[in-house]
Amino acid sequence: MNVQNEQRTRLQAAIDWAVWHFGELAGVLGPLALALVFTPWFALMSAIVAAGWAVHEVRDHREQTRLRAGTDRKQLPATPATTNETTSHETREVTR
């Protein structure tokens, strides 16, 4: 069985979320703290990271909305009936 195809647990999803958002916050707040302590030029780096974060969130939201709407779902062909199955109600026999 392929480990990558298994569903993630809730704990793994929560850890991934926390790590990702910690990185985002650190990327914005770190340069902002440096701007307050050393030079205002670090604020520019903080603004660039914040803009990148916003673009990522908008793209992610649009993709999730599109996936939920089902525009990317492929229609699978119907499963053919086997020889043991019947599709007509009249051809079925009732045995007692």
Side-chain angles (χ1 to χ4, degrees):
M1 179 180 269
N2 191 354
V3 176
Q4 293 175 342
N5 290 336
E6 293 180 10
Q7 288 186 338
R8 298 184 315 166
T9 64
R10 293 174 116 187
L11 178 61
Q12 289 170 329
I15 290 171
D16 288 346
W17 184 90
V19 168
W20 176 250
H21 286 290
F22 176 77
E24 291 172 336
L25 289 172
V28 173
L29 296 178
L32 195 59
L34 291 173
L36 291 173
V37 174
F38 296 110
T39 178
W41 284 104
F42 283 112
L44 179 63
M45 185 186 314
S46 180
I48 291 170
V49 172
W53 182 4
V55 167
H56 175 268
E57 290 296 322
V58 168
R59 285 182 179 169
D60 186 46
H61 176 72
R62 287 181 180 168
E63 180 181 351
Q64 292 300 320
T65 303
R66 184 174 44 90
L67 289 173
R68 285 189 188 112
T71 56
D72 283 349
R73 293 184 184 169
K74 294 181 180 178
Q75 294 295 329
L76 297 175
T79 306
T82 62
T83 56
N84 294 339
E85 297 176 4
T86 57
T87 57
S88 174
H89 294 290
E90 291 82 23
T91 60
R92 294 184 184 163
E93 290 184 28
V94 178
T95 58
R96 293 180 193 218

